[in-house]
Amino acid sequence: MSRRTIRLRLDGAAAADRSYAIVIGRGVIDALGSSCGGAAARRAVVVADAAVAPTHAARAVASLTGAGIETTLLVVPAGEASKSATHATRLWSDFARLAVDRHTHVVAVGGGVVGDLTGFVAATFARGLPLWQVPTTLVAQVDSAIGGKTGINLEAGKNLVGAFWQPRGVFADIDTLATLPDREFTSGLAEVLKYGVILDAEFFAWLEEHAAAVRRREPAALEHIVERSAALKAHVVERDEHETTGLRAILNYGHTFAHAFETAAGYGTLLHGEAVAIGMAAAARLAAALGRVEPDFVARQDSLLRALGLPVTAAHLSWTPPAADDLLAIMGRDKKTLNGQLRFVLPTRIGHVELVDGIDAALVRRVLES
Amino acid sequence: MSRRTIRLRLDGAAAADRSYAIVIGRGVIDALGSSCGGAAARRAVVVADAAVAPTHAARAVASLTGAGIETTLLVVPAGEASKSATHATRLWSDFARLAVDRHTHVVAVGGGVVGDLTGFVAATFARGLPLWQVPTTLVAQVDSAIGGKTGINLEAGKNLVGAFWQPRGVFADIDTLATLPDREFTSGLAEVLKYGVILDAEFFAWLEEHAAAVRRREPAALEHIVERSAALKAHVVERDEHETTGLRAILNYGHTFAHAFETAAGYGTLLHGEAVAIGMAAAARLAAALGRVEPDFVARQDSLLRALGLPVTAAHLSWTPPAADDLLAIMGRDKKTLNGQLRFVLPTRIGHVELVDGIDAALVRRVLES
């Protein structure tokens, strides 16, 4: 069992240390029990979706039980519909029935849906329970399981309800990526590439060189991309935990476009990473139109998107986007707009982006139409 | 308009100052608009229960609107049933419909139910909105509106779901106490007396001297008891915001008994303050049985309870409590028990209490039977 550990350092009110480890490697799920046991857990509740309950979640339960921790497994249906007030209420009731208290540790095993839902329930039951994230999809390992954002969807929109609630630790088991459907695995690579563009030119170059190994899911390549991505995410979260300084906003590179694409397509048509991929392609073109990047920036990013199997335009997804004006109207409602002005995260070069306010809607329309 | 201000000082992660003012006096609701305006609010949502919507909430709305803040009033039904997941979900949906964002300020006007529910919704919508508490009952002014505990009930129990979420400010308008039903006002005095017992012998003596003025609701007396209680609550919250050091637990004096009485009676039979009053009477007797207080402690506390119009035994409430063993069984399930051991906050003298573990159940039974 190989293993790499990243430490996410956070201070807290009254000098409480809220730092935690992100453990990455093959078979690290089996180390869960000793870590929770080391944190003095005696009881645990594992929440998993139905897709991973018999496999990854069963291994988590075995590890916890093996460490002498009395463990209960709760299963939620697979899919985005579980990230709802209805399922949060159901889990709250389950926790009450199990007499869960502040000494019970909560373990989320699965993708972003389970991590966000379980995190929210852990944040709010008894005003907060110790939480461990065990992400089993690529996008969860490199993004959603790290940094303490938890939440549920309302009918009116995604992630409208939630809390900042940091886990005690994250266990990213590389072995769980072997069985992911290809479309889902590839979609997760969009967030990986994003880290290269926004923060790390060297990592971007590494991805250019090793794209084939990544797509073959070679364990060493997977360990490297998960570790590098997790380290970059941790770096940002350490400096702007609650999204107040603007730094954390750079993680939204490509996302203003992506959310408009997802909303227009209806959730479920595009995978999130696919929307982010064409969103980054659009953001690069917007930056080029503003003269903010050298012309070869767009071509270089497009090449890596393609090399990783990601789409560059909607046409690659056999999806016909709506008129540019409809997409602009959706962007105007995005919670990342400030007082109605369009705001984008735009690159200046590979490895660096900036938050740019007051973007002319006509220019965005031209990019969308091209 | 007279006014006294207490500052509750809290540090925060990344040096964010989370301190806030508790403003107490006649007519202070009318100062709400200038305070929120000074905090750069441009939009506000006021949440109130149906009982205070036409009166106190209307004044809050007028004050906000007068300060140029675009304000919407949302009304929830009066009564404990509103503190539910159903009503939280309804408010989340209302907030989404109103396009509430992180720059919208939320104002809770009412008693503990509205404050707790609205605080929880403000804590979780868009992962946290600026919140102002405008408590209009005595118990909310001296206790629940201060200190950041928010929450909702589940069918399985009260306050099982919630979050710590500090307000930006608290406005305790003494004038709102004039119209409270007598039973509700008197019930709130139990928490006032509690502060004297747990922290402030001088305040206890002041209450003994001015009990009649308090019961007549003389404004000067009301200002004094709200200010003194709020200052003592602030003192405790500043030192143990998240109930981790044990200090905040002293606020639960009388409450382990009280919760058992409330559960046994069925919620709604006893007012919370009534249960706390007979809970403190029982806790005093338990302390006396353990030789922890001088014998006159019980008599002195009983006298002040009676002088304030509060019950000392269940008989005063025309309520027949169940057998002591049933009450003990309920206490064993209380979230304030630790690993099944009985734990009580017990006085040593007027003005000082301690958290005592490992209390013999037989002794508690004898106190309950007497």
Side-chain angles (χ1 to χ4, degrees):
Chain A
M1 187 172 85
S2 73
R3 181 195 293 205
R4 309 180 192 198
T5 299
I6 289 157
R7 189 120 199 116
L8 195 156
R9 291 173 207 284
L10 293 169
D11 61 347
D17 182 8
R18 299 179 303 120
S19 301
Y20 57 92
I22 303 161
V23 183
I24 298 152
R26 305 189 65 176
V28 297
I29 285 184
D30 304 320
L32 187 59
S34 60
S35 290
C36 291
R42 303 203 308 194
R43 285 186 61 206
V45 175
V46 173
V47 182
D49 72 38
V52 303
T55 52
H56 310 321
R59 270 176 64 205
V61 170
S63 174
L64 292 160
T65 308
I69 300 165
E70 185 194 329
T71 304
T72 308
L73 174 64
L74 296 174
V75 179
V76 299
E80 185 83 17
S82 289
K83 237 179 95 170
S84 65
T86 303
H87 281 278
T89 304
R90 205 166 291 171
L91 285 175
W92 285 332
S93 300
D94 288 338
F95 280 27
R97 180 175 49 77
L98 295 168
V100 161
D101 65 18
R102 287 186 201 163
H103 307 283
T104 308
H105 289 231
V106 179
V107 181
V109 181
V113 167
V114 163
D116 286 3
L117 169 70
T118 307
F120 179 63
V121 169
T124 50
F125 192 85
R127 295 196 191 89
L129 304 172
L131 169 70
W132 302 78
Q133 291 281 5
V134 183
T136 62
T137 64
L138 183 57
V139 69
Q141 290 188 355
V142 301
D143 185 14
S144 61
I146 301 164
K149 279 197 184 176
T150 72
I152 56 175
N153 304 328
L154 299 180
E155 275 175 38
K158 286 184 70 166
N159 294 318
L160 282 177
V161 169
F164 286 100
W165 193 248
Q166 298 292 344
R168 297 291 179 98
V170 179
F171 288 80
D173 194 326
I174 298 303
D175 286 341
T176 65
L177 304 182
T179 50
L180 281 185
D182 204 52
R183 189 176 167 199
E184 191 170 345
F185 174 77
T186 303
S187 165
L189 293 174
E191 302 283 356
V192 173
L193 180 152
K194 183 191 75 179
Y195 290 113
V197 177
I198 66 175
L199 283 167
D200 191 339
E202 200 179 310
F203 182 43
F204 190 95
W206 186 95
L207 287 168
E208 290 177 315
E209 201 174 325
H210 297 88
V214 168
R215 292 192 69 184
R216 281 195 303 271
R217 307 192 202 181
E218 290 178 9
L222 295 180
E223 272 192 24
H224 185 71
I225 63 171
V226 174
E227 186 205 11
R228 207 59 220 126
S229 300
L232 291 164
K233 174 89 184 243
H235 171 90
V236 171
V237 171
E238 284 171 348
R239 282 157 187 79
D240 185 19
E241 183 184 0
H242 295 122
E243 216 162 17
T244 45
T245 71
L247 178 63
R248 193 161 178 164
I250 69 169
L251 297 172
N252 292 323
Y253 175 54
H255 281 61
T256 302
F257 284 108
H259 288 155
F261 297 147
E262 289 179 286
T263 304
Y267 287 101
T269 308
L270 309 179
L271 294 184
H272 179 63
E274 293 168 345
V276 169
I278 58 176
M280 291 190 292
R285 282 159 178 78
L286 180 58
L290 287 161
R292 297 180 65 88
V293 288
E294 297 295 308
D296 74 335
F297 178 95
V298 175
R300 198 175 159 201
Q301 186 185 276
D302 279 2
S303 292
L304 183 53
L305 283 166
R306 286 199 194 90
L308 292 173
L310 287 160
V312 173
T313 69
H316 292 137
L317 293 164
S318 327
W319 171 60
T320 310
D325 279 336
D326 294 339
L327 291 168
L328 274 168
I330 295 170
M331 287 180 197
R333 293 198 301 269
D334 192 295
K335 70 181 166 187
K336 279 176 278 297
T337 61
L338 189 66
N339 303 325
Q341 273 198 325
L342 287 173
R343 161 184 268 194
F344 288 89
V345 177
L346 294 179
T348 55
R349 60 176 187 278
I350 299 290
H352 189 74
V353 290
E354 289 169 358
L355 194 58
V356 187
D357 283 319
I359 300 280
D360 183 9
L363 194 63
V364 178
R365 185 183 301 112
R366 224 175 307 146
V367 166
L368 287 168
E369 283 165 352
S370 72
Chain B
M1 187 172 88
S2 73
R3 182 197 290 204
R4 309 182 192 196
T5 299
I6 290 158
R7 189 120 198 115
L8 195 156
R9 290 173 208 285
L10 293 169
D11 61 348
D17 182 8
R18 300 179 302 120
S19 299
Y20 56 92
I22 303 161
V23 184
I24 298 151
R26 305 189 65 174
V28 296
I29 285 184
D30 304 319
L32 187 58
S34 59
S35 291
C36 290
R42 302 201 310 194
R43 285 186 62 206
V45 175
V46 173
V47 182
D49 73 39
V52 303
T55 52
H56 310 320
R59 270 176 66 205
V61 170
S63 174
L64 292 161
T65 307
I69 300 166
E70 185 195 328
T71 304
T72 309
L73 173 65
L74 296 174
V75 179
V76 298
E80 185 82 17
S82 289
K83 237 179 96 170
S84 65
T86 303
H87 281 278
T89 304
R90 203 166 293 173
L91 285 175
W92 285 331
S93 300
D94 288 339
F95 280 27
R97 180 174 50 77
L98 295 168
V100 162
D101 65 17
R102 287 187 200 162
H103 307 284
T104 308
H105 290 231
V106 179
V107 181
V109 181
V113 167
V114 164
D116 286 4
L117 168 69
T118 307
F120 179 63
V121 169
T124 50
F125 191 86
R127 296 195 191 91
L129 304 173
L131 170 71
W132 302 78
Q133 291 280 5
V134 184
T136 61
T137 64
L138 182 58
V139 70
Q141 291 188 353
V142 301
D143 185 13
S144 60
I146 301 164
K149 278 197 185 178
T150 71
I152 56 175
N153 303 328
L154 298 180
E155 274 175 37
K158 286 183 71 165
N159 294 319
L160 282 178
V161 169
F164 286 101
W165 193 248
Q166 297 292 345
R168 297 291 178 97
V170 179
F171 288 80
D173 194 328
I174 297 303
D175 286 343
T176 65
L177 305 181
T179 51
L180 281 185
D182 203 54
R183 189 175 167 201
E184 191 171 345
F185 174 78
T186 303
S187 165
L189 292 174
E191 302 284 355
V192 173
L193 180 152
K194 182 192 76 178
Y195 290 112
V197 178
I198 66 175
L199 283 167
D200 191 339
E202 200 179 309
F203 183 43
F204 191 95
W206 186 96
L207 287 168
E208 290 177 315
E209 202 174 325
H210 297 88
V214 168
R215 294 194 67 184
R216 282 193 304 271
R217 309 193 200 179
E218 291 178 9
L222 294 181
E223 272 192 23
H224 185 71
I225 63 171
V226 174
E227 186 205 10
R228 205 60 219 124
S229 300
L232 292 164
K233 174 89 185 242
H235 171 91
V236 171
V237 171
E238 284 171 348
R239 283 158 187 77
D240 184 19
E241 183 183 0
H242 295 123
E243 216 159 16
T244 45
T245 71
L247 179 62
R248 193 160 178 164
I250 68 169
L251 297 172
N252 292 324
Y253 175 54
H255 282 60
T256 302
F257 284 109
H259 288 156
F261 297 148
E262 288 179 286
T263 304
Y267 287 102
T269 308
L270 308 180
L271 293 184
H272 179 63
E274 293 168 346
V276 170
I278 58 177
M280 292 190 291
R285 283 160 177 77
L286 180 58
L290 287 160
R292 298 180 64 89
V293 288
E294 297 295 306
D296 74 335
F297 178 96
V298 175
R300 200 176 156 200
Q301 185 185 277
D302 280 1
S303 292
L304 183 53
L305 283 166
R306 286 198 193 90
L308 292 173
L310 287 160
V312 173
T313 70
H316 292 137
L317 293 164
S318 326
W319 170 61
T320 311
D325 279 335
D326 294 337
L327 291 169
L328 274 169
I330 294 169
M331 288 180 198
R333 291 198 302 269
D334 193 295
K335 71 180 165 187
K336 279 177 278 298
T337 61
L338 189 66
N339 303 326
Q341 272 199 324
L342 287 173
R343 161 186 268 195
F344 288 89
V345 177
L346 294 179
T348 54
R349 61 176 187 276
I350 298 290
H352 190 73
V353 291
E354 289 170 358
L355 193 58
V356 187
D357 282 321
I359 299 280
D360 182 8
L363 195 62
V364 178
R365 184 182 301 113
R366 223 174 308 146
V367 167
L368 287 168
E369 284 165 352
S370 73

